[in-house]
Amino acid sequence: MTTIRTAAVIGSGVMGSGIAAHLANVGIPVLLLDRVPEQLTPQEEAAGLTLDHPKVRNRFAVTALEKLGKTNPAPLYSETFASRITPGNIEDDLAKLSQVDWIVEVIIENLQAKQELIARIEKVWKPGTIVSSNTSGISINAMVENAGEAFKKHFLGTHFFNPPRYMKLLEIIPNEQTDPVIISSMSDFCEKKLGKGVVQAKDTPNFISNRIGTYGLLITLREMLAKGYTVEEVDAVTGPAMGRPKSATFRTLDLVGLDTFVHVANNVFDLVTDPVEKDVFDTPAILKEMVAKGWIGEKQGQGFYKKVKTAEGKEIQALNLETMAYAAGRKISSASLEAAKQAKGTVGKLKALLGAKDRYSELAWNILKPVLLYAAEKRDEIAETIVDIDNALKWGFNWELGPFETWDAIGLKRSVERMEVEGSTVPEWVKAWIDAGHDSFYERKEGRTFAILNEELREVESRPEIISLASLKQQNKIIRSNSGASLIDIGDDVACLEFNSPNNAIGADILTMIQQSVDEVRSNYRGLVVANEGKNFCVGANLMLLLMEAQDGEWDEVDGIIRLFQNAMLKLKRLDKPVVAAPHKMTLGGGVEACMPADQTIFSAETYYGLVETGVGLIPAGGGCKELALLASQQVRDPEVDLQPWINAAFETVAMAKVSTSGHDTKRLGYMRAQDSVVVNPDHRIYEAKQAVLRMDAAGYTPPAIEKIRVVGENGKAVMQVGAYSMLKGGYISEHDQLIANKLAHVLAGGNVPAGTLVTEQYMLDLEREAFLSLCGEIKTQQRMQFMLSKGKALRN
C-alpha cells in the first residue's frame, strides 16, 4: 500500500477544504494552498494591512479553515483535527510541494487552468510524489498532455464526492501512462486509510457515476415534462419505492445545486458526438430558466422546493413547472406506491411498483428502462466491470442497487423482452448473454459472487477486510437465532452477535439471545463480536413495550424487563472470553449500554453515540450510569484526588442527552476508553473487531477483575442537583427536566452514602432500576415516550 504521511491540497473551496479536512480526519498533516488575493477587504484595510502581508496572502485558505468549524454537516470528525491543516498560498509555498507525499489539485473546473497549475507543480515536483486531480469530468489525459513521462506515471484522477467526509464513492481515473502499481496502491490506500469505496473509471466525460446518474436525472425530467407529472409525484416514485434516497430526484437536485448539475450535464453535452446522447444531455429550458432566476436550490433558499414561513410554522412548498409558482406540497398515493411501501426489501419494492400498472408504475418503468439500456450501452466505454458501474451508482448516488443489480432484480429476460416489444434497442452483448443461457448478470454460489466479465462469468474479488453477515447467513453459518437476533460463525472460532429486530431496538428476544450467546461462546468459541449490518447499530430499547406496560400499571413487568436487560449486560461483561463491540451510525440509549460491557469498542468513524434516555423522560438503566461511574472511578484511582469533576462531566453528558458527532467525538463526551479505537471504513468494522478478539485470545485473555466503584456520594449528588436547580431558575430546563436530573444525580453519585464509599456494580444497578421505575410512573414521562414514538423527536414538557 502507498505510504502517504503528508499531503497538499491546492484549492480551498468547498471541495478542496473538505478533502483537506478528511485527510486531517485520518491523521495526515495537510498543506492547504490557494491563490493570492488581488485586493484588500475593508477589514484588512482598516487593520492597516497590505497585499504583501502573510494574513492577506493566505486569506483564502485561512478563511476556508475557519469555515470548517461552522459547516454543517461537519467536515471534521473532531474540531481539534483542524490543527493538522496548515494554510498557505500557491505563490509563497509552492516549493513546499516537494516535501509531501501526495498533491491533490482541486481548483476551478477549467482545463487550461488545470494544465497551467500542473505545469507549475511539475517544476517543484519530487520524483515519486503522487499527484492527482479532483475533477468531476475533465479529461485526465488532457491535463498532462504536456507533462513529462515520469510525472505522467504518477498522475491520476481522484474524484471525491461532496461532502468528502460522508460520501463513500471515490473514482480513480488513470491516464494512459499511470503506473499500474500506483493505481493499485492508491486504490488500497483510499479504501483502507480514507474509508472510501473505490472504483476505477476510464477517462471519459463525467466518468461513471456522474455519467449514468446525470443521464438518469435528465431522463426523469424529460419524462415528467412530456407526461405532465408534478414535482411531488416524481419524488414519490423515485425515492425509496425505487431503492433510491428519500431526497429522490428534485430534493437531490436542490441539494446538489441546479447550477452545478447544469455544469456537469453540459460537460457531457460538449464532449460526446452521438446526436441521440447529445440530445439527452442538452439541458432542458426549464433548468436554464431556474438557474437564470437564481432558483438553484438550498444554497439560495429555493429550487424545486422552497421553505416558507406560515402562521403554523414552516411549510415546504413545491414548484409548479407550468405556472412557475410555489404551492404547498401534496401527499401522493396510489396502488403501486402503496404496494411498494408494503413490500419488503428493495427487490420486493421494485417488483411491486413496476407490477401495479398505474400511471406511477408507468413513470417508474419509463425512467428506469433508458437508464438500464444506457448503462449497458456504455459498459465498456466508461468502466472495467459492471461491478464498478453498480458500485459507483450505489456509493455516489446512494442507490440501493446499481443498474445491473436492478436489472437482475426485475428479471433480466422478462424485462428485455418487454423492452424489445416496446421498440427499444437492447445492446447486442446483453442479448448474447441471455442467449448463452444466463438469466442474470450476477450469480451467487456458496457465499461467493460471480459477475459477467469479458463475456464470461468470473468471480468478483472478495477482500478479507469485508465480512458480510448476510453472506455468511446464506452459507448457513447461523449458530443460533430468534426473532430479534442471530449468533453467526464469522470464522476462526469467533462468533458475531447480530441484532435484526425492527430498527434493531432491544427487546426480550435480543436480551435472551445475548445470554444464550454468552453460554455458546464460553463453551465453543474464542470470543465474541457484537455488530450488525443494519442502517443503524441500535436506536435503544423497545420503547413501545415499556410505554404499554407503564400505562397499564404493570410495574412488575417493567421491573422484569429492566432486570433482564441489566442481567444480560452483566453476563456479557463477565464472559471469560474477549468481547469486542463494533457500533456504527445511530447507537443510542440501550445500544450504547450493549457496547459498554465489551472489552474493547471499535467505533465506525460515523458513529453517533449517546445515552439519550432523558429525552423520553427516563435515565439509563441497562448499566449505562453504572459504567460511567465505574469508568470515572477507574480513571481517578487515587482516593486523595477529587472524583467530582469526572462525575459532573458524565452527569452533563447524560442529562443533556449529548450524542457524539463521530466515533472520534466519543472521546470528548467521555465514552471512549484507552483501549477503544476508530475504524474509518465502515465495511471493515467487523473484520477489525474480529482481529481484536483474536489478538486478545492469542495474548492469553484474562477477564477484567471485578472491582468496586468509588462514588461521590450524597455531597456529590448535591453539587449536581444545585446545577440542575440553577438551570431551572435560568429557564433552561422544565420542572420535569429537573426531576429527571435529580434522579440521575442520585444514581451517578451512588445514592445517599458518604463520599469515597466503595459500592458494588449490583448496588449501582439497583439504583438505576429504582430511578427508572419511578420515572416510568410519571405522566409527563409517559407523554414524552408517546411523543417520541409518534413524532420521532423529543418533547420538552
Side-chain angles (χ1 to χ4, degrees):
M1 184 173 74
T2 295
T3 301
I4 293 179
R5 300 182 182 89
T6 57
V9 174
I10 305 175
S12 63
V14 172
M15 278 304 298
S17 60
I19 292 169
H22 194 56
L23 292 174
N25 280 337
V26 301
I28 297 174
V30 186
L31 181 62
L32 179 61
L33 306 181
D34 209 315
R35 57 193 172 85
V36 174
E38 296 178 354
Q39 60 185 27
L40 296 172
T41 65
Q43 294 82 0
E44 289 168 342
E45 287 182 346
L49 301 179
T50 67
L51 287 173
D52 293 330
H53 195 285
K55 285 186 178 180
V56 176
R57 294 178 71 79
N58 294 341
R59 184 211 305 156
F60 292 128
V62 169
T63 301
L65 191 53
E66 291 170 349
K67 285 181 180 178
L68 290 178
K70 304 172 186 176
T71 302
N72 187 26
L76 292 163
Y77 291 149
S78 168
E79 288 186 11
T80 61
F81 293 171
S83 63
R84 297 170 180 168
I85 304 173
T86 302
N89 69 78
I90 196 66
E91 303 297 334
D92 302 329
D93 302 306
L94 189 68
K96 294 179 181 178
L97 298 181
S98 64
Q99 302 167 17
V100 302
D101 302 313
W102 182 17
I103 301 167
V104 190
E105 170 275 306
V106 201
I107 65 167
I108 186 172
E109 286 285 83
N110 176 277
L111 177 58
Q112 182 179 346
K114 289 181 183 290
Q115 288 176 329
E116 290 173 355
L117 176 60
I118 287 167
R120 295 185 65 186
I121 292 172
E122 189 173 12
K123 289 178 180 178
V124 298
W125 177 69
K126 179 182 66 178
T129 300
I130 294 168
V131 183
S132 70
S133 172
N134 181 78
T135 173
S136 59
I138 294 178
S139 170
I140 302 301
N141 283 289
M143 286 186 207
V144 290
E145 62 183 5
N146 299 319
E149 299 302 309
F151 188 90
K152 288 179 180 178
K153 288 182 179 179
H154 292 82
F155 184 82
L156 68 166
T158 48
H159 180 206
F160 289 82
F161 275 61
N162 191 34
R165 167 183 165 180
Y166 300 95
M167 291 300 291
K168 183 173 181 177
L169 179 62
L170 174 66
E171 291 178 320
I172 283 186
I173 313 100
N175 72 77
E176 292 173 352
Q177 296 185 44
T178 306
D179 187 338
V181 174
I182 297 292
I183 300 170
S184 176
S185 60
M186 278 298 287
S187 297
D188 205 37
F189 169 82
C190 292
E191 178 187 338
K192 293 180 179 177
K193 188 71 174 178
L194 302 185
K196 294 300 175 187
V198 178
V199 301
Q200 184 174 331
K202 293 183 179 180
D203 188 19
T204 56
N206 287 16
F207 313 127
I208 301 174
S209 185
N210 276 344
R211 182 76 170 268
I212 304 295
T214 301
Y215 179 91
L217 288 168
L218 288 167
I219 285 290
T220 301
L221 185 56
R222 288 173 182 277
E223 181 69 13
M224 170 192 182
L225 295 172
K227 301 290 178 61
Y229 292 98
T230 67
V231 166
E232 304 102 298
E233 286 178 317
V234 171
D235 274 359
V237 172
T238 59
M242 288 184 68
R244 309 282 174 81
K246 289 182 179 179
S247 56
T249 297
F250 295 111
R251 290 187 193 279
T252 296
L253 284 170
D254 278 357
L255 287 168
V256 170
L258 272 63
D259 53 340
T260 301
F261 177 77
V262 168
H263 171 79
V264 172
N266 285 344
N267 190 57
V268 181
F269 177 82
D270 292 339
L271 295 174
V272 298
T273 55
D274 176 33
V276 175
E277 184 177 14
K278 204 172 185 69
D279 180 63
V280 173
F281 283 94
D282 186 6
T283 309
I286 188 70
L287 279 184
K288 295 175 182 176
E289 180 182 350
M290 291 177 69
V291 171
K293 288 176 177 285
W295 298 1
I296 58 175
E298 286 208 351
K299 56 189 174 184
Q300 289 298 326
Q302 68 185 101
F304 286 100
Y305 293 96
K306 180 172 72 170
K307 286 184 181 178
V308 177
K309 289 184 179 180
T310 66
E312 292 76 27
K314 289 183 179 179
E315 177 181 83
I316 297 178
Q317 297 185 347
L319 181 65
N320 182 317
L321 297 188
E322 291 184 359
T323 64
M324 295 303 285
Y326 291 91
R330 62 186 183 90
K331 186 175 177 60
I332 307 300
S333 62
S334 74
S336 61
L337 291 171
E338 188 58 32
K341 185 177 180 180
Q342 298 301 321
K344 290 186 177 180
T346 302
V347 174
K349 290 181 184 299
L350 271 171
K351 288 182 176 179
L353 177 63
L354 294 173
K357 305 303 180 186
D358 60 19
R359 69 188 302 262
Y360 297 129
S361 177
E362 179 186 359
L363 173 63
W365 172 252
N366 286 343
I367 60 181
L368 183 61
K369 176 178 68 171
V371 171
L372 300 183
L373 291 171
Y374 187 69
E377 178 188 334
K378 298 299 173 184
R379 179 194 65 165
D380 294 333
E381 178 184 333
I382 65 176
E384 298 293 338
T385 69
I386 66 166
V387 178
D388 280 334
I389 295 176
D390 279 343
N391 285 339
L393 272 299
K394 288 190 292 184
W395 298 339
F397 277 75
N398 293 319
W399 293 5
E400 291 291 332
L401 299 174
F404 297 98
E405 291 172 326
T406 298
W407 219 331
D408 283 356
I410 65 175
L412 176 59
K413 286 184 178 179
R414 184 169 59 254
S415 60
V416 165
E417 288 171 359
R418 179 178 176 182
M419 290 172 183
E420 293 192 309
V421 167
E422 293 174 353
S424 299
T425 301
V426 178
E428 288 301 321
W429 74 264
V430 174
K431 293 191 288 185
W433 183 248
I434 294 173
D435 291 342
H438 300 284
D439 55 11
S440 65
F441 294 115
Y442 291 90
E443 289 186 19
R444 291 171 176 84
K445 304 173 185 177
E446 300 177 350
R448 298 157 66 196
T449 300
F450 299 81
I452 180 175
L453 178 63
N454 296 329
E455 316 315 321
E456 294 181 4
L457 205 59
R458 304 274 186 89
E459 184 172 3
V460 177
E461 179 187 4
S462 59
R463 300 184 71 89
E465 296 87 359
I466 299 177
I467 294 176
S468 167
L469 298 180
S471 177
L472 289 169
K473 287 192 286 188
Q474 291 175 355
Q475 299 172 56
N476 299 316
K477 297 294 184 179
I478 297 175
I479 304 164
R480 291 173 175 265
S481 69
N482 62 21
S483 59
S486 300
L487 185 67
I488 304 165
D489 186 338
I490 58 174
D492 298 313
D493 296 323
V494 177
C496 179
L497 174 63
E498 175 201 43
F499 302 165
N500 46 42
S501 64
N503 296 317
N504 287 340
I506 297 176
D509 45 7
I510 288 180
L511 297 172
T512 299
M513 183 55 62
I514 289 173
Q515 301 208 39
Q516 292 176 352
S517 297
V518 169
D519 294 335
E520 184 72 40
V521 170
R522 177 176 289 119
S523 299
N524 300 311
Y525 290 84
R526 296 166 69 180
L528 177 68
V529 169
V530 182
N532 63 67
E533 295 172 332
K535 180 180 179 181
N536 297 300
F537 177 79
C538 176
V539 297
N542 187 330
L543 197 59
M544 176 64 80
L545 176 61
L546 282 171
L547 177 60
M548 290 172 59
E549 300 291 5
Q551 288 178 331
D552 291 342
E554 298 289 348
W555 303 117
D556 287 344
E557 291 295 327
V558 177
D559 183 74
I561 292 170
I562 302 309
R563 286 180 186 274
L564 178 61
F565 201 130
Q566 291 181 341
N567 291 339
M569 296 305 115
L570 203 56
K571 187 170 183 178
L572 184 62
K573 183 172 184 175
R574 300 285 183 255
L575 175 60
D576 56 0
K577 300 288 180 69
V579 178
V580 178
H584 68 285
K585 292 295 181 76
M586 301 300 290
T587 304
L588 306 175
V592 172
E593 291 174 311
C595 296
M596 285 178 151
D599 297 288
Q600 183 179 353
T601 300
I602 295 180
F603 298 98
S604 170
E606 299 302 338
T607 304
Y608 317 121
Y609 194 86
L611 294 167
V612 297
E613 285 84 352
T614 58
V616 290
L618 299 168
I619 69 159
C625 295
K626 178 261 294 183
E627 286 296 323
L628 287 176
L630 175 59
L631 185 58
S633 180
Q634 291 171 334
Q635 290 174 328
V636 191
R637 293 193 180 277
D638 186 345
E640 299 301 316
V641 177
D642 187 10
L643 189 63
Q644 191 72 46
W646 277 263
I647 292 298
N648 287 349
F651 173 72
E652 181 180 319
T653 295
V654 179
M656 297 182 70
K658 293 182 178 180
V659 176
S660 72
T661 58
S662 68
H664 293 84
D665 193 47
T666 57
K667 184 176 183 179
R668 177 182 63 88
L669 296 183
Y671 290 118
M672 181 181 284
R673 304 163 298 180
Q675 68 269 32
D676 297 336
S677 60
V678 179
V679 61
V680 178
N681 192 318
D683 295 337
H684 296 181
R685 288 179 302 113
I686 298 174
Y687 171 84
E688 294 295 344
K690 174 183 171 182
Q691 297 310 304
V693 166
L694 294 174
R695 284 193 295 271
M696 283 188 269
D697 176 68
Y701 176 77
T702 302
I706 299 174
E707 55 184 302
K708 290 189 173 181
I709 303 169
R710 180 164 71 97
V711 296
V712 297
E714 195 167 15
N715 290 340
K717 176 175 73 171
V719 170
M720 290 182 274
Q721 290 182 337
V722 166
Y725 179 77
S726 297
M727 294 284 284
L728 174 68
K729 289 303 178 183
Y732 297 106
I733 63 175
S734 68
E735 289 186 358
H736 192 55
D737 288 324
Q738 184 195 23
L739 173 65
I740 300 164
N742 286 342
K743 297 279 187 182
L744 176 63
H746 179 75
V747 175
L748 286 173
N752 297 321
V753 298
T757 299
L758 297 176
V759 301
T760 65
E761 290 188 59
Q762 187 58 56
Y763 169 84
M764 293 293 289
L765 289 173
D766 291 342
L767 290 180
E768 283 186 1
R769 192 176 66 258
E770 291 163 5
F772 189 93
L773 282 166
S774 68
L775 286 170
C776 277
E778 297 285 339
I779 294 300
K780 288 188 176 180
T781 284
Q782 293 179 18
Q783 290 172 345
R784 289 191 179 193
M785 295 166 75
Q786 182 68 57
F787 194 83
M788 177 61 73
L789 287 167
S790 61
K791 303 292 186 180
K793 56 185 179 181
L795 170 68
R796 291 299 180 191
N797 55 354

